[in-house]
Amino acid sequence: MKVPENYYDEIFEFNGQWGIASKCGLKLLDKNGQKTVIVTELYQDNSGTSITCAGYSLACQICERKGLQLNEIRYIECNPDTHSKLSFYDEEYFEVTFPETKGASGRPQYRQLPDEEVKALFM
């Protein structure tokens, strides 16, 4: 299940749960001043924490190292298409909203992006 490189511009190494070395694919987009961070799950190429389990911590690490403000970005998680027979590995994009950015506590909110919204990201 090798993730095609067209899903990301760089491999981003981060501290996962319990300080475990982890990595994900990272793509930064800037359209009309709207900054979008897309993190891609690397499956077998990441022996550490998944992007979903790292969540808020991963977003904060990206912002810190890339000079971004968490409350000013659109944060998207990508499960890439790995051409598997299992539907679990179909391509899906989820916009994630962290309650911490709004001064609240609780769980992150996930919204699956429809195909036309995914296409608009890359146009």
Side-chain angles (χ1 to χ4, degrees):
M1 280 188 303
K2 185 81 171 151
V3 174
E5 290 182 8
N6 63 315
Y7 277 99
Y8 54 88
D9 293 329
E10 67 178 280
I11 300 292
F12 185 83
E13 295 181 359
F14 63 97
N15 292 321
Q17 291 178 324
W18 306 286
I20 295 174
S22 306
K23 55 187 171 179
C24 67
L26 178 63
K27 185 178 285 278
L28 302 176
L29 305 174
D30 188 344
K31 268 186 151 176
N32 303 323
Q34 169 63 60
K35 292 181 177 24
T36 301
V37 172
I38 302 173
V39 293
T40 299
E41 186 61 65
L42 296 179
Y43 300 118
Q44 71 186 22
D45 291 328
N46 175 27
S47 59
T49 305
S50 72
I51 58 174
T52 301
C53 289
Y56 181 71
S57 172
L58 172 56
C60 288
Q61 290 177 63
I62 291 169
C63 286
E64 182 180 312
R65 294 206 302 235
K66 298 297 182 179
L68 302 170
Q69 297 297 316
L70 187 59
N71 60 348
E72 296 176 0
I73 64 166
R74 184 176 187 200
Y75 186 82
I76 297 174
E77 291 184 0
C78 172
N79 296 321
D81 182 6
T82 58
H83 306 290
S84 171
K85 292 180 182 179
L86 302 173
S87 63
F88 177 81
Y89 295 108
D90 287 348
E91 179 181 85
E92 295 177 323
Y93 287 82
F94 294 90
E95 183 171 11
V96 184
T97 304
F98 299 106
E100 292 88 340
T101 62
K102 298 184 179 186
S105 61
R107 295 181 180 265
Q109 299 296 309
Y110 289 81
R111 180 180 70 87
Q112 185 171 0
L113 301 181
D115 290 343
E116 53 277 357
E117 200 170 336
V118 172
K119 288 177 188 169
L121 283 172
F122 303 104
M123 295 179 104

